[in-house]
């Protein structure tokens, strides 16, 4: 058997400290490594594989598209992109969408949209963007510039400039930073990497009201919390606020790299025009065949209702662990986007869980993040609870 860990460490640029597991294949919510060991997957490739592994209808849809055509460029129309665009706009209650290859690129597009929108209004280029502390929006220069983790940004400064950071869930901090040159507020509806922090209702509604009053665009990053994960197709629906621009990725392609930014017609008609933005691959027939099939299955299987129905069971399982171990400080989250915060680093628990055949990930050093495929059953939840219980007792 080849030593893939050694091979990877030698040739893949060392920007990740990988866990010592070589994953080979998956079936439903189970993953198998190169030695045949089974893992119950409550990480889903970081909130990506919503519809599970080895999903036959999904794989068949991809194979059929491969046999037709995978790529055409955006100089021509293609069937899957046109259909996926309409269906995504319908579920996101938006009017126009641009497909990207990743979440980060969706953020780039959203930022460019906001700057162009503001530029067309007053002809100036000195607008600012308000982002949130402890947010995460990606690793490109633009996305990094609105990411509220100074440690990620430090070595790569200067960023795009004119970005100010407010405190998440503190409306006053947003109000204080707002001025006549503010073109956008960007934030996650539920902060993911920052530790799984849902927006408080008063906060998000207050930000929306402020944006509406001052003609500021509200960009909600739903790359992680969108696509049904919180028990709503998009997390904002719970609060009754609708953004002007939304970014989507992760679960959108169920493993095929694809993202999107979508907007209202009001924004679309007064921002980007031909020549302003583009991508060679983005929205190609292969990626959009994935999006189209994902959305078809969400509807057919009513994934959102399933998440909502099983959320109490997941929360109860995690709460029972919180009650059992006094080093668990907090259980929080929304739907199938949950966290257990410890009073100590969680790396050991994650390793022990892996040994016990459970994959969970972290969100910050002390927080265990639970973002399973959205198709898990009640049995999977109790299985997860048992395996995590064992890992916690051994840590
Ligand atoms: C993962 C993530 C991104 C970046 O997406 P990539 O596909 O990794 O580029 C941006 N925003 C949020 C909220 C994310 O969770």
């Amino acid at each position: 058997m080849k030593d893939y860990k050694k091979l990877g460490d030698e040739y893949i640029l060392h920007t990740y400290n990988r866990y010592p597991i070589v994953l080979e294949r998956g079936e439903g919510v189970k993953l198998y490594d190169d030695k045949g060991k089974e893992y119950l997957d409550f990480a889903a490739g970081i909130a990506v594989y919503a519809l599970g592994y080895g999903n036959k209808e999904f794989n068949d849809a991809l194979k059929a598209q491969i046999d037709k055509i995978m790529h055409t460029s955006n100089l021509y129309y293609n069937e899957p992109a046109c259909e996926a665009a309409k269906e995504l706009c319908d579920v996101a209650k938006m009017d126009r969408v641009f497909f990207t290859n990743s979440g980060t690129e969706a953020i780039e597009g959203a930022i460019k949209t906001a700057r162009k929108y503001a530029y067309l209004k007053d002809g100036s280029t000195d607008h600012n963007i308000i982002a949130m502390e402890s947010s995460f929006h990606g690793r490109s220069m633009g996305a990094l510039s609105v990411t509220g983790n100074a440690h990620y940004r430090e070595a790569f400064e200067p960023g795009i400039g004119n970005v100010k950071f407010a405190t998440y869930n503190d409306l006053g901090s947003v109000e204080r930073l707002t001025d006549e040159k503010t073109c956008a507020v960007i934030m996650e509806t539920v902060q993911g990497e920052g530790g799984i922090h849902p927006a408080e209702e008063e906060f998000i509604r207050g930000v929306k009201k402020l944006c509406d009053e001052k003609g500021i665009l509200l960009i909600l990053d739903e790359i992680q919390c969108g696509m049904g994960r919180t028990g709503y197709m998009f997390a904002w629906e719970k609060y009754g606020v609708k953004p002007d621009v939304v970014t989507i990725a992760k679960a959108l392609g169920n493993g095929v790299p694809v993202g999107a930014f979508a907007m209202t017609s009001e924004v679309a008609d007064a921002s980007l025009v031909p020549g302003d933005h583009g991508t060679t691959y983005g929205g190609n027939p292969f990626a959009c065949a994935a999006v189209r099939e994902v959305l078809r299955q969400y509807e057919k299987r009513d994934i959102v209702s399933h998440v909502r129905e099983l959320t109490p069971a997941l929360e109860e399982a995690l709460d029972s662990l919180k009650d059992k171990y006094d080093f668990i400080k907090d259980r929080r989250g929304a739907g199938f986007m949950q966290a257990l915060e410890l009073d100590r680093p969680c790396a050991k628990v994650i390793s022990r869980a892996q040994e016990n055949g459970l994959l969970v990930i972290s969100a910050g050093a002390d927080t265990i993040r639970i973002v399973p495929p959205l198709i898990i059953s009640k049995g999977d939840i109790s299985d997860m609870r048992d395996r995590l219980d064992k890992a916690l007792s051994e840590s």
Side-chain angles (χ1 to χ4, degrees), residues 102-105 107 136-138 188 192-193 221 223-224 249-250:
S102 68
T104 299
E105 285 170 80
I107 297 291
F136 181 82
H137 299 292
E188 295 150 272
E193 308 289 320
D221 180 350
I223 289 169
Q224 189 164 163
K250 291 201 163 86

Side-chain angles (χ1 to χ4, degrees), residues 12-160:
I12 300 174
L13 188 69
H14 193 177
T15 60
Y16 280 90
N17 289 317
R18 293 179 161 78
Y19 297 115
I21 299 175
V22 181
L23 291 172
E24 208 170 69
R25 64 188 180 86
E27 197 57 51
V29 297
K30 301 278 172 60
L31 283 168
Y32 300 87
D33 70 13
D34 57 344
K35 297 175 193 77
K37 181 177 161 126
E38 179 193 286
Y39 300 88
L40 177 64
D41 180 23
F42 268 54
I46 319 186
V48 167
Y49 241 103
L51 298 173
Y53 305 99
N55 180 314
K56 188 170 183 313
E57 283 176 272
F58 180 69
N59 293 355
D60 285 347
L62 296 185
K63 287 173 193 167
Q65 190 59 47
I66 287 172
D67 287 339
K68 276 190 182 171
I69 191 167
M70 285 177 71
H71 180 77
T72 58
S73 89
N74 282 305
L75 301 176
Y76 313 96
Y77 294 91
N78 75 73
E79 216 177 276
C82 297
E83 289 184 357
K86 186 203 180 300
E87 278 145 34
L88 187 57
C89 282
D90 282 353
V91 295
K93 302 181 177 75
M94 291 283 144
D95 301 306
R96 231 89 78 211
V97 61
F98 183 103
F99 287 111
T100 65
N101 308 291
S102 68
T104 299
E105 285 170 80
I107 297 291
E108 294 294 324
I111 293 170
K112 282 180 73 176
T113 300
R115 282 195 169 179
K116 182 73 192 291
Y117 181 84
Y119 170 77
L120 288 178
K121 265 193 184 167
D122 70 5
S124 76
T125 55
D126 55 354
H127 303 102
N128 63 66
I129 294 173
I130 297 175
M132 300 296 146
E133 296 289 355
S134 49
S135 63
F136 181 82
H137 299 292
R139 304 290 199 153
S140 63
M141 287 308 301
L144 193 59
S145 300
V146 293
T147 287
N149 182 334
H151 175 72
Y152 287 169
R153 294 196 312 268
E154 194 178 66
F156 307 100
E157 298 284 2
I160 62 168

